[in-house]
């Protein structure tokens, strides 16, 4: 994204294990060329980042258009399944242009929250009624362009969504999601190409949305490209029950039987699992993306994140439906949910939670050289104020604890992507009025 050599001076930097004061980063070609510690004052000409600088945050699970549901879905009561009807109505109104405008604003909101990479779980592929656009990837291309204009990286997780349930065709609402079968999905998805700011991955929407005999086609597509593969997994008990009735096994077991699980795969939610499921996921190296603010918003339940990690499943975090866009809240919610469930404290250190929000989140999205402040890594940074009403007081050496357990997205002062300021002093440099862009995009979508 930038080839201009430059130096950033970090007042305090999180280096993965500790907070280091006075760090200079030399950058070139969008990467960190050198990390110099023990630099007590800014070198001449250096860009100054005051506060605590972390690696850029990775939002590993997003549905950009769900941002239009914020607050609207908080009226009344219901379940995931009633919420889904409101979501379908919003999806029905999307066009490539309106999706681009909304996603650009949503991704700018993410940049303001310190997110430098998003995993967009994308399944609204076609026009209402299911007819392809002239460009069969018009909707995906709109998302890729939106991320570029908002200044962040994206992994477009193109999702196969072929049925409404086990043995049932798509509903009218779902017709624009479906390519007909997995081979047609693969042919369309193959037209999408990586670019400097973007990676193309795959997704199985869920075991209810892809017939069992077609799961291997999606898995093979990802394997051949060494691309990330994500899947909504056991988010709802109703899905588990229907899977057992149709196939005599759990969703995790079904995915394993058809070659979907493995180190490049991430299960999103992984909420309602058996002990055997936990061992199967962890033993295969399949990752787990927890989305605590959405999981509690939809009354889904609390997933066994600690048990999954103990079995070998790397953890990442996502804002999913964007009830809020705040990776610090997602990180602490994972710990606090586990405290409520077990009535004990301290399941993850702040360092471990930051790892889920940075390096492991990026790895889940196929950006293996991102999410650390090290020479050779991509120059993506997030700086959190240590002098706000939320963060003032603790010693700087407790910066990780302050970021995870006290800070919010509102404390992000700077976001740097590929060595370039995308957010400076709390203002987006590419999208001048992010609240206005969000309001206008959502208003236009409702019109």
């Amino acid at each position: 994204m930038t080839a201009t050599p430059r130096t950033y001076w970090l007042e305090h930097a999180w280096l993965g294990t500790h907070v280091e004061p006075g760090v200079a980063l030399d950058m070139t070609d969008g990467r960190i060329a050198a990390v110099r510690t023990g630099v007590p004052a800014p070198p001449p000409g250096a860009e100054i980042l005051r506060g605590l600088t972390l690696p850029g945050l990775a939002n590993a699970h997003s549905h950009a258009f769900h941002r239009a549901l914020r607050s609207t879905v908080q009226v009344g009561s219901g379940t995931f399944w009633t919420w889904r009807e409101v979501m379908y109505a919003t999806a029905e109104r999307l066009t490539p242009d309106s999706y681009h405008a909304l996603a650009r604003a949503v991704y700018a909101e993410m940049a303001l929250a310190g997110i430098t990479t998003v995993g967009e779980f994308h399944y609204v592929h076609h026009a209402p009624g299911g007819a392809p656009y002239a460009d069969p990837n018009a909707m995906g291309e709109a998302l890729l362009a939106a991320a570029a204009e908002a200044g962040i990286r994206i992994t477009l997780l193109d999702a196969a969504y072929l049925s409404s349930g086990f043995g049932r065709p798509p509903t009218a609402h779902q017709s624009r999601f479906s390519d007909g079968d997995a081979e047609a999905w693969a042919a369309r998805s193959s037209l999408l190409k990586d670019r400097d700011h973007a990676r193309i991955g795959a997704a199985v929407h869920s075991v209810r949305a892809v017939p069992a005999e077609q799961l291997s086609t999606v898995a093979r597509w990802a394997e051949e490209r060494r691309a990330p593969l994500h899947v909504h997994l056991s988010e709802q008990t109703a899905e588990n029950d229907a899977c057992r009735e149709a196939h005599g096994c759990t969703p995790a077991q079904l995915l394993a039987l058809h070659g979907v699980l493995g180190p490049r795969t991430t299960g999103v939610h992984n909420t309602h699992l058996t002990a055997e499921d936990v061992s199967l996921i962890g033993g295969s190296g399949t990752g787990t993306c927890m989305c605590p603010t959405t999981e509690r918003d939809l009354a889904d339940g609390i997933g066994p994140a600690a048990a999954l990690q103990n079995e070998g499943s790397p953890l990442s975090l996502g804002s999913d439906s964007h009830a809020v866009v705040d990776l610090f809240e997602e990180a602490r919610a994972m710990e606090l949910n586990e405290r409520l469930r077990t009535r004990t404290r301290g399941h993850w250190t702040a360092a471990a939670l930051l790892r889920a929000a940075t390096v492991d989140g990026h790895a889940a999205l196929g950006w293996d050289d991102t999410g650390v402040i090290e020479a050779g890594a991509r120059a993506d940074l997030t700086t959190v104020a240590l002098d706000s009403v939320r963060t003032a007081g603790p010693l700087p050496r407790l910066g990780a604890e302050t970021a995870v357990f006290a800070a919010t997205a509102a404390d992000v002062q700077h976001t740097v992507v590929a060595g370039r300021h995308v957010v400076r002093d709390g203002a987006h440099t590419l999208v001048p009025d992010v609240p206005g862009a969000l309001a206008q995009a959502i208003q236009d979508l409702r019109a």
Side-chain angles (χ1 to χ4, degrees):
M1 294 181 183
T2 180
T4 305
R6 62 186 67 187
T7 296
Y8 278 85
W9 181 79
L10 320 181
E11 184 181 27
H12 301 283
W14 172 249
L15 299 184
T17 57
H18 66 287
V19 174
E20 183 76 25
V23 175
L25 303 182
D26 299 322
M27 299 180 182
T28 187
D29 295 326
R31 292 183 179 269
I32 299 171
V35 179
R36 293 183 282 131
T37 58
V39 183
E47 296 261 15
I48 298 171
L49 302 182
R50 295 204 179 274
L52 173 69
T53 297
L54 311 165
L57 306 179
N59 186 355
H61 189 66
S62 162
H63 301 292
F65 78 91
H66 290 190
R67 175 62 177 80
L69 305 178
R70 187 181 293 179
S71 298
T72 301
V73 291
Q74 302 302 343
V75 178
S77 60
T79 66
F80 167 85
W81 306 102
T82 53
W83 169 90
R84 191 175 70 159
E85 293 305 311
V86 181
M87 180 270 287
Y88 282 158
T90 301
E92 191 71 11
R93 293 193 291 271
L94 292 169
T95 67
D97 287 344
S98 66
Y99 206 3
H100 171 265
L102 177 58
R104 175 178 176 268
V106 173
Y107 296 155
E109 180 183 5
M110 290 184 193
L112 289 171
I115 293 163
T116 56
T117 302
V118 61
E120 183 62 38
F121 197 109
H122 168 54
Y123 55 82
V124 187
H125 302 305
H126 307 299
Y133 289 102
D135 174 357
N137 285 304
M139 297 293 270
E141 291 291 346
L143 293 166
L144 295 173
E149 292 173 30
I152 69 171
R153 305 184 195 278
I154 183 172
T155 296
L156 188 71
L157 298 158
D158 195 283
Y161 196 138
L162 308 172
S163 60
S164 62
F166 298 97
R168 298 199 301 270
T171 65
H173 283 309
Q174 296 163 344
S175 60
R176 68 184 308 191
F177 307 162
S178 177
D179 291 292
D181 60 35
E183 292 293 344
W185 166 85
R188 179 187 52 74
S189 297
S190 296
L191 300 174
L192 292 160
K193 304 301 179 186
D194 289 354
R195 51 212 76 177
D196 285 348
H197 80 292
R199 298 283 182 270
I200 307 303
V204 169
H205 178 273
S206 55
V207 292
R208 68 178 185 275
V210 177
E213 67 275 9
Q214 299 184 51
L215 289 169
S216 61
T217 300
V218 184
R220 184 168 59 251
W221 187 97
E223 177 67 26
E224 289 172 352
R225 290 159 180 77
R226 303 191 66 77
L229 173 60
H230 287 216
V231 53
H232 292 127
L233 180 55
S234 289
E235 182 179 3
Q236 295 291 324
T237 55
E239 177 183 281
N240 290 358
D241 294 342
C243 186
R244 286 192 180 93
E245 183 176 350
H247 297 289
C249 63
T250 67
Q253 291 166 341
L254 187 67
L255 293 174
L257 284 171
H258 293 276
V260 177
L261 301 185
R264 276 195 304 280
T265 299
T266 297
V268 181
H269 304 303
N270 290 358
T271 306
H272 301 285
L273 303 177
T274 66
E276 183 180 348
D277 290 340
V278 171
S279 296
L280 194 60
I281 292 166
S284 64
T286 301
T288 295
C289 180
M290 302 298 291
C291 306
T293 65
T294 292
E295 289 151 5
R296 69 193 185 199
D297 182 57
L298 298 181
D300 285 345
I302 299 171
L308 284 159
Q309 187 174 52
N310 288 340
E311 288 290 333
S313 180
L315 299 180
S316 55
L317 298 165
S319 63
D320 192 357
S321 68
H322 315 311
V324 297
V325 173
D326 189 336
L327 262 288
F328 302 118
E329 173 62 20
E330 304 294 346
R332 70 171 154 264
M334 187 164 69
E335 165 66 25
L336 298 182
N337 282 352
E338 194 71 4
R339 292 183 187 185
L340 286 173
R341 193 178 67 80
T342 64
R343 290 179 289 173
T344 60
R345 305 174 77 241
H347 301 274
W348 291 277
T349 63
L353 294 168
L354 284 178
R355 181 177 179 89
T358 56
V359 63
D360 285 348
H362 279 98
L365 298 176
W367 298 88
D368 295 328
D369 53 358
T370 313
V372 292
I373 300 178
E374 295 177 0
R378 294 179 188 270
D380 296 1
L381 307 171
T382 298
T383 302
V384 179
L386 294 179
D387 57 359
S388 76
V389 293
R390 290 165 293 277
T391 61
L395 296 171
R397 64 180 175 81
L398 296 175
E401 288 75 10
T402 301
V404 171
F405 291 104
T408 72
D411 295 308
V412 172
Q413 295 299 294
H414 306 285
T415 304
V416 173
V417 180
R420 178 182 68 170
H421 258 107
V422 175
V423 173
R424 186 191 297 270
D425 296 321
H428 203 290
T429 63
L430 303 175
V431 183
D433 179 10
V434 178
L438 284 163
Q440 188 65 56
I442 293 169
Q443 178 181 320
D444 291 347
L445 191 60
R446 291 174 179 162

